[in-house]
Amino acid sequence: MKSKTMKNSMKNLIVAVTTSAVLLMSGAVQATEKLTIGITLQPYYSYVKAVVGDKANVLPLVDEGFNPHNYQPQPNDLRRLKQMDVIVVNAIGHDDFALKVIKAADRDDLIVIKANKDVPLLPAIGQSVGEGAVNPHTFVGLSTTIQKVYTIATELSKIDPDNARTYRKNARKYATEFRKMKRQAMLTLGDLDTSGMLVATTHNAYGYILQEFGVDVAAVIEPAHGVEPSASQLQETIEKIRASKIDVLFYELNMPSRYVETIEAATGVQLYRFSHMTHGAYEENKVAVEMKSNLATLVEAMKFAAKRSLADTAVTTNTATNIKQGS
């Protein structure tokens, strides 16, 4: 009887061990079956991580700390690309280095998702911008960010239909977060009249977020994307800022612009800094955190412009009244 019991116990143990091994092997297979999705810029890391969660691996093409304006492809980029099943790209001027790596890899099996394919694009602005060039900084806008996240989720759902429902659900959740951000910023502005607000920017980066709040860019300092102005171009811009009575100059948070102080001293324009979101570490919450900061900056700038406009109106009214009384 005791022998039979021992045999049954041994049998149960063998079954348990075998089952555990099968489950472990199954888990390993599932882990290896996860997509590896490449990205080229920090904002796209945030987008893709928000969409896929733990359902896929996200792999940056380039180590953090690079400058996309002048980055040259490295051998490590090609090695990373070989690990990717899919890569999400900007593809409209901000990650041209990545397009060179993709072309050099000559991989027919690599799926390329162009995140901006459904985004209404703004023209590039600058004295030396080529004909037909578009503004590639769609990641600085709210509506454009939402559209790109939906595009990424849709395209990944085609590639990985087993997780399609999760991807779409996560995309909707992310979009809701950004809609709430915009709504809160609008409520903070209240009934301020900023219709006459005029701004200049160091380069053509903020058009997407500014247009959502009805702010027009009257002047762009850099003659082309990432190119510093010459002395004559800088003087021309200073004269334009003076003549147009521009209220605010937006410039890049993480990139020192040597000419900004010159403009400030020459015109008295108020300076505000925006993040481009393309510097620093690859982080899941990077875009959300830095977008909130940009919105706070924009609200502050719009309040400043409205206050200045009211002051100018009061001065004009008082002057007119004094002239009338003197006559």
Side-chain angles (χ1 to χ4, degrees), residues 167-203:
Y167 296 158
R168 293 193 178 105
K169 178 183 176 182
N170 289 345
R172 286 193 294 271
K173 181 180 177 182
Y174 199 67
T176 299
E177 182 180 359
F178 282 82
R179 289 194 182 99
K180 287 180 178 177
M181 277 189 216
K182 182 176 179 179
R183 180 176 180 274
Q184 184 57 46
M186 291 290 192
L187 290 173
T188 303
L189 288 169
D191 296 324
L192 280 182
D193 181 9
T194 58
S195 58
M197 181 179 179
L198 292 174
V199 307
T201 66
T202 51
H203 73 264

PDB file of all heavy atoms in Angstrom, residues 167-203:
ATOM      1  N   TYR A 167      -3.939  47.767 -28.473  1.00  0.00           N
ATOM      2  CA  TYR A 167      -3.299  48.927 -29.092  1.00  0.00           C
ATOM      3  C   TYR A 167      -4.289  50.079 -29.277  1.00  0.00           C
ATOM      4  O   TYR A 167      -3.985  51.236 -28.971  1.00  0.00           O
ATOM      5  CB  TYR A 167      -2.698  48.546 -30.447  1.00  0.00           C
ATOM      6  CG  TYR A 167      -1.569  47.534 -30.375  1.00  0.00           C
ATOM      7  CD1 TYR A 167      -1.231  46.765 -31.486  1.00  0.00           C
ATOM      8  CD2 TYR A 167      -0.842  47.355 -29.202  1.00  0.00           C
ATOM      9  CE1 TYR A 167      -0.193  45.838 -31.437  1.00  0.00           C
ATOM     10  CE2 TYR A 167       0.192  46.418 -29.139  1.00  0.00           C
ATOM     11  CZ  TYR A 167       0.517  45.677 -30.266  1.00  0.00           C
ATOM     12  OH  TYR A 167       1.540  44.759 -30.201  1.00  0.00           O
ATOM     13  N   ARG A 168      -5.477  49.742 -29.756  1.00  0.00           N
ATOM     14  CA  ARG A 168      -6.482  50.795 -29.993  1.00  0.00           C
ATOM     15  C   ARG A 168      -6.978  51.393 -28.674  1.00  0.00           C
ATOM     16  O   ARG A 168      -7.192  52.608 -28.566  1.00  0.00           O
ATOM     17  CB  ARG A 168      -7.637  50.222 -30.807  1.00  0.00           C
ATOM     18  CG  ARG A 168      -7.242  49.835 -32.233  1.00  0.00           C
ATOM     19  CD  ARG A 168      -8.460  49.563 -33.101  1.00  0.00           C
ATOM     20  NE  ARG A 168      -8.071  49.245 -34.457  1.00  0.00           N
ATOM     21  CZ  ARG A 168      -8.089  48.006 -34.975  1.00  0.00           C
ATOM     22  NH1 ARG A 168      -8.478  46.979 -34.234  1.00  0.00           N
ATOM     23  NH2 ARG A 168      -7.723  47.785 -36.226  1.00  0.00           N
ATOM     24  N   LYS A 169      -7.167  50.535 -27.686  1.00  0.00           N
ATOM     25  CA  LYS A 169      -7.610  51.012 -26.371  1.00  0.00           C
ATOM     26  C   LYS A 169      -6.566  51.957 -25.765  1.00  0.00           C
ATOM     27  O   LYS A 169      -6.900  53.027 -25.243  1.00  0.00           O
ATOM     28  CB  LYS A 169      -7.839  49.816 -25.446  1.00  0.00           C
ATOM     29  CG  LYS A 169      -8.263  50.197 -24.030  1.00  0.00           C
ATOM     30  CD  LYS A 169      -8.406  48.960 -23.156  1.00  0.00           C
ATOM     31  CE  LYS A 169      -8.742  49.352 -21.716  1.00  0.00           C
ATOM     32  NZ  LYS A 169      -8.845  48.143 -20.843  1.00  0.00           N
ATOM     33  N   ASN A 170      -5.315  51.580 -25.833  1.00  0.00           N
ATOM     34  CA  ASN A 170      -4.251  52.416 -25.277  1.00  0.00           C
ATOM     35  C   ASN A 170      -4.126  53.743 -26.023  1.00  0.00           C
ATOM     36  O   ASN A 170      -3.857  54.786 -25.414  1.00  0.00           O
ATOM     37  CB  ASN A 170      -2.913  51.666 -25.332  1.00  0.00           C
ATOM     38  CG  ASN A 170      -2.842  50.523 -24.339  1.00  0.00           C
ATOM     39  OD1 ASN A 170      -3.658  50.435 -23.427  1.00  0.00           O
ATOM     40  ND2 ASN A 170      -1.870  49.646 -24.510  1.00  0.00           N
ATOM     41  N   ALA A 171      -4.317  53.703 -27.333  1.00  0.00           N
ATOM     42  CA  ALA A 171      -4.248  54.929 -28.134  1.00  0.00           C
ATOM     43  C   ALA A 171      -5.357  55.898 -27.739  1.00  0.00           C
ATOM     44  O   ALA A 171      -5.128  57.109 -27.601  1.00  0.00           O
ATOM     45  CB  ALA A 171      -4.339  54.599 -29.624  1.00  0.00           C
ATOM     46  N   ARG A 172      -6.561  55.373 -27.523  1.00  0.00           N
ATOM     47  CA  ARG A 172      -7.687  56.221 -27.106  1.00  0.00           C
ATOM     48  C   ARG A 172      -7.418  56.846 -25.734  1.00  0.00           C
ATOM     49  O   ARG A 172      -7.721  58.021 -25.501  1.00  0.00           O
ATOM     50  CB  ARG A 172      -8.991  55.414 -27.087  1.00  0.00           C
ATOM     51  CG  ARG A 172      -9.539  55.103 -28.471  1.00  0.00           C
ATOM     52  CD  ARG A 172     -10.971  54.582 -28.387  1.00  0.00           C
ATOM     53  NE  ARG A 172     -11.042  53.285 -27.718  1.00  0.00           N
ATOM     54  CZ  ARG A 172     -10.938  52.112 -28.333  1.00  0.00           C
ATOM     55  NH1 ARG A 172     -10.741  52.070 -29.640  1.00  0.00           N
ATOM     56  NH2 ARG A 172     -11.038  50.982 -27.650  1.00  0.00           N
ATOM     57  N   LYS A 173      -6.852  56.052 -24.841  1.00  0.00           N
ATOM     58  CA  LYS A 173      -6.532  56.556 -23.502  1.00  0.00           C
ATOM     59  C   LYS A 173      -5.507  57.690 -23.586  1.00  0.00           C
ATOM     60  O   LYS A 173      -5.635  58.719 -22.916  1.00  0.00           O
ATOM     61  CB  LYS A 173      -5.985  55.413 -22.647  1.00  0.00           C
ATOM     62  CG  LYS A 173      -5.643  55.814 -21.224  1.00  0.00           C
ATOM     63  CD  LYS A 173      -5.102  54.616 -20.434  1.00  0.00           C
ATOM     64  CE  LYS A 173      -4.686  55.045 -19.028  1.00  0.00           C
ATOM     65  NZ  LYS A 173      -4.116  53.889 -18.266  1.00  0.00           N
ATOM     66  N   TYR A 174      -4.480  57.509 -24.398  1.00  0.00           N
ATOM     67  CA  TYR A 174      -3.435  58.522 -24.567  1.00  0.00           C
ATOM     68  C   TYR A 174      -4.013  59.796 -25.185  1.00  0.00           C
ATOM     69  O   TYR A 174      -3.718  60.909 -24.752  1.00  0.00           O
ATOM     70  CB  TYR A 174      -2.336  57.949 -25.461  1.00  0.00           C
ATOM     71  CG  TYR A 174      -0.998  58.656 -25.385  1.00  0.00           C
ATOM     72  CD1 TYR A 174      -0.231  58.607 -24.224  1.00  0.00           C
ATOM     73  CD2 TYR A 174      -0.482  59.330 -26.485  1.00  0.00           C
ATOM     74  CE1 TYR A 174       1.016  59.221 -24.162  1.00  0.00           C
ATOM     75  CE2 TYR A 174       0.763  59.951 -26.432  1.00  0.00           C
ATOM     76  CZ  TYR A 174       1.510  59.888 -25.271  1.00  0.00           C
ATOM     77  OH  TYR A 174       2.736  60.504 -25.215  1.00  0.00           O
ATOM     78  N   ALA A 175      -4.855  59.625 -26.190  1.00  0.00           N
ATOM     79  CA  ALA A 175      -5.478  60.775 -26.846  1.00  0.00           C
ATOM     80  C   ALA A 175      -6.333  61.574 -25.866  1.00  0.00           C
ATOM     81  O   ALA A 175      -6.328  62.814 -25.883  1.00  0.00           O
ATOM     82  CB  ALA A 175      -6.326  60.303 -28.029  1.00  0.00           C
ATOM     83  N   THR A 176      -7.056  60.877 -25.013  1.00  0.00           N
ATOM     84  CA  THR A 176      -7.895  61.540 -24.014  1.00  0.00           C
ATOM     85  C   THR A 176      -7.051  62.411 -23.085  1.00  0.00           C
ATOM     86  O   THR A 176      -7.442  63.526 -22.719  1.00  0.00           O
ATOM     87  CB  THR A 176      -8.677  60.502 -23.191  1.00  0.00           C
ATOM     88  OG1 THR A 176      -9.522  59.750 -24.063  1.00  0.00           O
ATOM     89  CG2 THR A 176      -9.522  61.166 -22.118  1.00  0.00           C
ATOM     90  N   GLU A 177      -5.891  61.906 -22.708  1.00  0.00           N
ATOM     91  CA  GLU A 177      -4.985  62.668 -21.831  1.00  0.00           C
ATOM     92  C   GLU A 177      -4.598  64.004 -22.473  1.00  0.00           C
ATOM     93  O   GLU A 177      -4.586  65.047 -21.808  1.00  0.00           O
ATOM     94  CB  GLU A 177      -3.731  61.839 -21.544  1.00  0.00           C
ATOM     95  CG  GLU A 177      -2.746  62.518 -20.608  1.00  0.00           C
ATOM     96  CD  GLU A 177      -1.510  61.680 -20.325  1.00  0.00           C
ATOM     97  OE1 GLU A 177      -1.414  60.547 -20.854  1.00  0.00           O
ATOM     98  OE2 GLU A 177      -0.626  62.160 -19.588  1.00  0.00           O
ATOM     99  N   PHE A 178      -4.326  63.986 -23.767  1.00  0.00           N
ATOM    100  CA  PHE A 178      -3.897  65.213 -24.440  1.00  0.00           C
ATOM    101  C   PHE A 178      -5.069  66.159 -24.706  1.00  0.00           C
ATOM    102  O   PHE A 178      -4.902  67.376 -24.672  1.00  0.00           O
ATOM    103  CB  PHE A 178      -3.141  64.860 -25.731  1.00  0.00           C
ATOM    104  CG  PHE A 178      -1.739  64.411 -25.460  1.00  0.00           C
ATOM    105  CD1 PHE A 178      -1.471  63.102 -25.083  1.00  0.00           C
ATOM    106  CD2 PHE A 178      -0.679  65.301 -25.525  1.00  0.00           C
ATOM    107  CE1 PHE A 178      -0.189  62.692 -24.794  1.00  0.00           C
ATOM    108  CE2 PHE A 178       0.613  64.898 -25.238  1.00  0.00           C
ATOM    109  CZ  PHE A 178       0.861  63.592 -24.864  1.00  0.00           C
ATOM    110  N   ARG A 179      -6.235  65.605 -24.948  1.00  0.00           N
ATOM    111  CA  ARG A 179      -7.417  66.459 -25.100  1.00  0.00           C
ATOM    112  C   ARG A 179      -7.726  67.198 -23.794  1.00  0.00           C
ATOM    113  O   ARG A 179      -8.104  68.372 -23.810  1.00  0.00           O
ATOM    114  CB  ARG A 179      -8.615  65.623 -25.534  1.00  0.00           C
ATOM    115  CG  ARG A 179      -8.525  65.117 -26.966  1.00  0.00           C
ATOM    116  CD  ARG A 179      -9.862  64.602 -27.458  1.00  0.00           C
ATOM    117  NE  ARG A 179      -9.753  64.090 -28.807  1.00  0.00           N
ATOM    118  CZ  ARG A 179      -9.637  62.804 -29.119  1.00  0.00           C
ATOM    119  NH1 ARG A 179      -9.620  61.894 -28.147  1.00  0.00           N
ATOM    120  NH2 ARG A 179      -9.528  62.406 -30.365  1.00  0.00           N
ATOM    121  N   LYS A 180      -7.561  66.491 -22.674  1.00  0.00           N
ATOM    122  CA  LYS A 180      -7.783  67.121 -21.370  1.00  0.00           C
ATOM    123  C   LYS A 180      -6.760  68.223 -21.111  1.00  0.00           C
ATOM    124  O   LYS A 180      -7.088  69.263 -20.527  1.00  0.00           O
ATOM    125  CB  LYS A 180      -7.727  66.068 -20.263  1.00  0.00           C
ATOM    126  CG  LYS A 180      -8.945  65.159 -20.216  1.00  0.00           C
ATOM    127  CD  LYS A 180      -8.820  64.132 -19.095  1.00  0.00           C
ATOM    128  CE  LYS A 180     -10.064  63.254 -19.022  1.00  0.00           C
ATOM    129  NZ  LYS A 180      -9.922  62.197 -17.965  1.00  0.00           N
ATOM    130  N   MET A 181      -5.527  68.003 -21.521  1.00  0.00           N
ATOM    131  CA  MET A 181      -4.495  69.036 -21.377  1.00  0.00           C
ATOM    132  C   MET A 181      -4.890  70.311 -22.111  1.00  0.00           C
ATOM    133  O   MET A 181      -4.784  71.417 -21.569  1.00  0.00           O
ATOM    134  CB  MET A 181      -3.170  68.548 -21.994  1.00  0.00           C
ATOM    135  CG  MET A 181      -2.321  67.691 -21.129  1.00  0.00           C
ATOM    136  SD  MET A 181      -0.720  67.485 -21.965  1.00  0.00           S
ATOM    137  CE  MET A 181      -0.368  65.801 -21.515  1.00  0.00           C
ATOM    138  N   LYS A 182      -5.326  70.143 -23.341  1.00  0.00           N
ATOM    139  CA  LYS A 182      -5.700  71.307 -24.153  1.00  0.00           C
ATOM    140  C   LYS A 182      -6.895  72.020 -23.536  1.00  0.00           C
ATOM    141  O   LYS A 182      -6.917  73.265 -23.460  1.00  0.00           O
ATOM    142  CB  LYS A 182      -6.010  70.873 -25.582  1.00  0.00           C
ATOM    143  CG  LYS A 182      -6.365  72.040 -26.500  1.00  0.00           C
ATOM    144  CD  LYS A 182      -6.561  71.581 -27.930  1.00  0.00           C
ATOM    145  CE  LYS A 182      -6.948  72.750 -28.828  1.00  0.00           C
ATOM    146  NZ  LYS A 182      -7.118  72.324 -30.240  1.00  0.00           N
ATOM    147  N   ARG A 183      -7.875  71.257 -23.110  1.00  0.00           N
ATOM    148  CA  ARG A 183      -9.068  71.852 -22.509  1.00  0.00           C
ATOM    149  C   ARG A 183      -8.701  72.670 -21.271  1.00  0.00           C
ATOM    150  O   ARG A 183      -9.187  73.787 -21.084  1.00  0.00           O
ATOM    151  CB  ARG A 183     -10.075  70.761 -22.153  1.00  0.00           C
ATOM    152  CG  ARG A 183     -11.368  71.274 -21.515  1.00  0.00           C
ATOM    153  CD  ARG A 183     -12.349  70.137 -21.285  1.00  0.00           C
ATOM    154  NE  ARG A 183     -13.573  70.629 -20.671  1.00  0.00           N
ATOM    155  CZ  ARG A 183     -13.744  70.776 -19.351  1.00  0.00           C
ATOM    156  NH1 ARG A 183     -12.757  70.475 -18.516  1.00  0.00           N
ATOM    157  NH2 ARG A 183     -14.894  71.221 -18.881  1.00  0.00           N
ATOM    158  N   GLN A 184      -7.833  72.122 -20.426  1.00  0.00           N
ATOM    159  CA  GLN A 184      -7.437  72.813 -19.215  1.00  0.00           C
ATOM    160  C   GLN A 184      -6.709  74.119 -19.542  1.00  0.00           C
ATOM    161  O   GLN A 184      -6.923  75.149 -18.894  1.00  0.00           O
ATOM    162  CB  GLN A 184      -6.532  71.912 -18.367  1.00  0.00           C
ATOM    163  CG  GLN A 184      -6.125  72.517 -17.023  1.00  0.00           C
ATOM    164  CD  GLN A 184      -7.318  72.895 -16.166  1.00  0.00           C
ATOM    165  OE1 GLN A 184      -8.261  72.125 -16.026  1.00  0.00           O
ATOM    166  NE2 GLN A 184      -7.290  74.090 -15.601  1.00  0.00           N
ATOM    167  N   ALA A 185      -5.850  74.077 -20.561  1.00  0.00           N
ATOM    168  CA  ALA A 185      -5.139  75.292 -20.972  1.00  0.00           C
ATOM    169  C   ALA A 185      -6.108  76.346 -21.477  1.00  0.00           C
ATOM    170  O   ALA A 185      -5.985  77.532 -21.145  1.00  0.00           O
ATOM    171  CB  ALA A 185      -4.111  74.956 -22.052  1.00  0.00           C
ATOM    172  N   MET A 186      -7.101  75.919 -22.246  1.00  0.00           N
ATOM    173  CA  MET A 186      -8.108  76.851 -22.759  1.00  0.00           C
ATOM    174  C   MET A 186      -8.911  77.476 -21.607  1.00  0.00           C
ATOM    175  O   MET A 186      -9.192  78.675 -21.616  1.00  0.00           O
ATOM    176  CB  MET A 186      -9.054  76.123 -23.717  1.00  0.00           C
ATOM    177  CG  MET A 186      -8.423  75.700 -25.025  1.00  0.00           C
ATOM    178  SD  MET A 186      -8.058  77.125 -26.088  1.00  0.00           S
ATOM    179  CE  MET A 186      -7.675  76.312 -27.640  1.00  0.00           C
ATOM    180  N   LEU A 187      -9.265  76.655 -20.624  1.00  0.00           N
ATOM    181  CA  LEU A 187     -10.011  77.172 -19.474  1.00  0.00           C
ATOM    182  C   LEU A 187      -9.179  78.161 -18.672  1.00  0.00           C
ATOM    183  O   LEU A 187      -9.689  79.164 -18.164  1.00  0.00           O
ATOM    184  CB  LEU A 187     -10.447  76.015 -18.575  1.00  0.00           C
ATOM    185  CG  LEU A 187     -11.542  75.090 -19.127  1.00  0.00           C
ATOM    186  CD1 LEU A 187     -11.745  73.897 -18.205  1.00  0.00           C
ATOM    187  CD2 LEU A 187     -12.854  75.853 -19.310  1.00  0.00           C
ATOM    188  N   THR A 188      -7.880  77.909 -18.578  1.00  0.00           N
ATOM    189  CA  THR A 188      -6.982  78.800 -17.844  1.00  0.00           C
ATOM    190  C   THR A 188      -6.903  80.170 -18.515  1.00  0.00           C
ATOM    191  O   THR A 188      -6.815  81.208 -17.842  1.00  0.00           O
ATOM    192  CB  THR A 188      -5.568  78.188 -17.754  1.00  0.00           C
ATOM    193  OG1 THR A 188      -5.662  76.902 -17.136  1.00  0.00           O
ATOM    194  CG2 THR A 188      -4.629  79.067 -16.948  1.00  0.00           C
ATOM    195  N   LEU A 189      -6.966  80.172 -19.834  1.00  0.00           N
ATOM    196  CA  LEU A 189      -6.914  81.440 -20.575  1.00  0.00           C
ATOM    197  C   LEU A 189      -8.205  82.236 -20.414  1.00  0.00           C
ATOM    198  O   LEU A 189      -8.196  83.470 -20.513  1.00  0.00           O
ATOM    199  CB  LEU A 189      -6.645  81.168 -22.061  1.00  0.00           C
ATOM    200  CG  LEU A 189      -5.231  80.720 -22.403  1.00  0.00           C
ATOM    201  CD1 LEU A 189      -5.164  80.216 -23.835  1.00  0.00           C
ATOM    202  CD2 LEU A 189      -4.237  81.857 -22.189  1.00  0.00           C
ATOM    203  N   GLY A 190      -9.300  81.529 -20.180  1.00  0.00           N
ATOM    204  CA  GLY A 190     -10.582  82.202 -19.975  1.00  0.00           C
ATOM    205  C   GLY A 190     -10.988  83.051 -21.158  1.00  0.00           C
ATOM    206  O   GLY A 190     -10.913  82.618 -22.313  1.00  0.00           O
ATOM    207  N   ASP A 191     -11.385  84.294 -20.882  1.00  0.00           N
ATOM    208  CA  ASP A 191     -11.859  85.195 -21.931  1.00  0.00           C
ATOM    209  C   ASP A 191     -10.794  86.198 -22.376  1.00  0.00           C
ATOM    210  O   ASP A 191     -11.109  87.251 -22.921  1.00  0.00           O
ATOM    211  CB  ASP A 191     -13.096  85.962 -21.439  1.00  0.00           C
ATOM    212  CG  ASP A 191     -14.262  85.022 -21.158  1.00  0.00           C
ATOM    213  OD1 ASP A 191     -14.409  84.041 -21.909  1.00  0.00           O
ATOM    214  OD2 ASP A 191     -15.010  85.274 -20.198  1.00  0.00           O
ATOM    215  N   LEU A 192      -9.535  85.885 -22.135  1.00  0.00           N
ATOM    216  CA  LEU A 192      -8.465  86.809 -22.543  1.00  0.00           C
ATOM    217  C   LEU A 192      -8.511  87.069 -24.044  1.00  0.00           C
ATOM    218  O   LEU A 192      -8.672  86.141 -24.842  1.00  0.00           O
ATOM    219  CB  LEU A 192      -7.095  86.216 -22.197  1.00  0.00           C
ATOM    220  CG  LEU A 192      -6.593  86.337 -20.756  1.00  0.00           C
ATOM    221  CD1 LEU A 192      -5.206  85.724 -20.661  1.00  0.00           C
ATOM    222  CD2 LEU A 192      -6.550  87.793 -20.321  1.00  0.00           C
ATOM    223  N   ASP A 193      -8.357  88.308 -24.423  1.00  0.00           N
ATOM    224  CA  ASP A 193      -8.310  88.660 -25.842  1.00  0.00           C
ATOM    225  C   ASP A 193      -6.857  88.652 -26.297  1.00  0.00           C
ATOM    226  O   ASP A 193      -6.090  89.561 -25.996  1.00  0.00           O
ATOM    227  CB  ASP A 193      -8.926  90.045 -26.065  1.00  0.00           C
ATOM    228  CG  ASP A 193      -8.912  90.438 -27.544  1.00  0.00           C
ATOM    229  OD1 ASP A 193      -8.594  89.570 -28.387  1.00  0.00           O
ATOM    230  OD2 ASP A 193      -9.197  91.612 -27.839  1.00  0.00           O
ATOM    231  N   THR A 194      -6.466  87.601 -27.016  1.00  0.00           N
ATOM    232  CA  THR A 194      -5.098  87.507 -27.541  1.00  0.00           C
ATOM    233  C   THR A 194      -5.093  87.535 -29.066  1.00  0.00           C
ATOM    234  O   THR A 194      -4.148  87.087 -29.705  1.00  0.00           O
ATOM    235  CB  THR A 194      -4.428  86.215 -27.052  1.00  0.00           C
ATOM    236  OG1 THR A 194      -5.220  85.089 -27.468  1.00  0.00           O
ATOM    237  CG2 THR A 194      -4.282  86.204 -25.543  1.00  0.00           C
ATOM    238  N   SER A 195      -6.158  88.088 -29.627  1.00  0.00           N
ATOM    239  CA  SER A 195      -6.288  88.098 -31.089  1.00  0.00           C
ATOM    240  C   SER A 195      -5.191  88.888 -31.776  1.00  0.00           C
ATOM    241  O   SER A 195      -4.841  88.615 -32.926  1.00  0.00           O
ATOM    242  CB  SER A 195      -7.659  88.656 -31.484  1.00  0.00           C
ATOM    243  OG  SER A 195      -7.821  89.970 -30.953  1.00  0.00           O
ATOM    244  N   GLY A 196      -4.639  89.857 -31.082  1.00  0.00           N
ATOM    245  CA  GLY A 196      -3.596  90.666 -31.690  1.00  0.00           C
ATOM    246  C   GLY A 196      -2.195  90.220 -31.347  1.00  0.00           C
ATOM    247  O   GLY A 196      -1.216  90.901 -31.672  1.00  0.00           O
ATOM    248  N   MET A 197      -2.060  89.063 -30.717  1.00  0.00           N
ATOM    249  CA  MET A 197      -0.750  88.577 -30.280  1.00  0.00           C
ATOM    250  C   MET A 197       0.130  88.219 -31.467  1.00  0.00           C
ATOM    251  O   MET A 197      -0.265  87.469 -32.355  1.00  0.00           O
ATOM    252  CB  MET A 197      -0.924  87.355 -29.380  1.00  0.00           C
ATOM    253  CG  MET A 197       0.369  86.784 -28.850  1.00  0.00           C
ATOM    254  SD  MET A 197       0.034  85.359 -27.757  1.00  0.00           S
ATOM    255  CE  MET A 197       1.695  84.878 -27.313  1.00  0.00           C
ATOM    256  N   LEU A 198       1.344  88.755 -31.471  1.00  0.00           N
ATOM    257  CA  LEU A 198       2.308  88.445 -32.520  1.00  0.00           C
ATOM    258  C   LEU A 198       3.551  87.842 -31.890  1.00  0.00           C
ATOM    259  O   LEU A 198       4.060  88.338 -30.892  1.00  0.00           O
ATOM    260  CB  LEU A 198       2.702  89.709 -33.285  1.00  0.00           C
ATOM    261  CG  LEU A 198       1.612  90.356 -34.153  1.00  0.00           C
ATOM    262  CD1 LEU A 198       2.106  91.676 -34.723  1.00  0.00           C
ATOM    263  CD2 LEU A 198       1.202  89.425 -35.281  1.00  0.00           C
ATOM    264  N   VAL A 199       4.039  86.729 -32.473  1.00  0.00           N
ATOM    265  CA  VAL A 199       5.215  86.074 -31.922  1.00  0.00           C
ATOM    266  C   VAL A 199       6.254  85.833 -32.999  1.00  0.00           C
ATOM    267  O   VAL A 199       5.947  85.748 -34.193  1.00  0.00           O
ATOM    268  CB  VAL A 199       4.857  84.719 -31.253  1.00  0.00           C
ATOM    269  CG1 VAL A 199       3.742  84.885 -30.237  1.00  0.00           C
ATOM    270  CG2 VAL A 199       4.494  83.663 -32.288  1.00  0.00           C
ATOM    271  N   ALA A 200       7.494  85.741 -32.550  1.00  0.00           N
ATOM    272  CA  ALA A 200       8.592  85.287 -33.397  1.00  0.00           C
ATOM    273  C   ALA A 200       9.130  84.000 -32.773  1.00  0.00           C
ATOM    274  O   ALA A 200       8.944  83.747 -31.573  1.00  0.00           O
ATOM    275  CB  ALA A 200       9.689  86.343 -33.472  1.00  0.00           C
ATOM    276  N   THR A 201       9.780  83.169 -33.564  1.00  0.00           N
ATOM    277  CA  THR A 201      10.382  81.938 -33.059  1.00  0.00           C
ATOM    278  C   THR A 201      11.804  81.826 -33.588  1.00  0.00           C
ATOM    279  O   THR A 201      12.111  82.344 -34.653  1.00  0.00           O
ATOM    280  CB  THR A 201       9.584  80.695 -33.495  1.00  0.00           C
ATOM    281  OG1 THR A 201       9.666  80.549 -34.920  1.00  0.00           O
ATOM    282  CG2 THR A 201       8.134  80.801 -33.083  1.00  0.00           C
ATOM    283  N   THR A 202      12.657  81.150 -32.815  1.00  0.00           N
ATOM    284  CA  THR A 202      14.030  80.988 -33.286  1.00  0.00           C
ATOM    285  C   THR A 202      14.075  80.132 -34.535  1.00  0.00           C
ATOM    286  O   THR A 202      14.841  80.408 -35.457  1.00  0.00           O
ATOM    287  CB  THR A 202      14.917  80.352 -32.201  1.00  0.00           C
ATOM    288  OG1 THR A 202      14.271  79.171 -31.709  1.00  0.00           O
ATOM    289  CG2 THR A 202      15.176  81.316 -31.074  1.00  0.00           C
ATOM    290  N   HIS A 203      13.301  79.065 -34.569  1.00  0.00           N
ATOM    291  CA  HIS A 203      13.141  78.346 -35.829  1.00  0.00           C
ATOM    292  C   HIS A 203      11.768  77.711 -35.911  1.00  0.00           C
ATOM    293  O   HIS A 203      10.982  77.776 -34.983  1.00  0.00           O
ATOM    294  CB  HIS A 203      14.288  77.361 -36.085  1.00  0.00           C
ATOM    295  CG  HIS A 203      14.303  76.135 -35.253  1.00  0.00           C
ATOM    296  ND1 HIS A 203      15.054  76.021 -34.111  1.00  0.00           N
ATOM    297  CD2 HIS A 203      13.693  74.939 -35.411  1.00  0.00           C
ATOM    298  CE1 HIS A 203      14.922  74.818 -33.606  1.00  0.00           C
ATOM    299  NE2 HIS A 203      14.087  74.139 -34.368  1.00  0.00           N
TER     300      HIS A 203
END
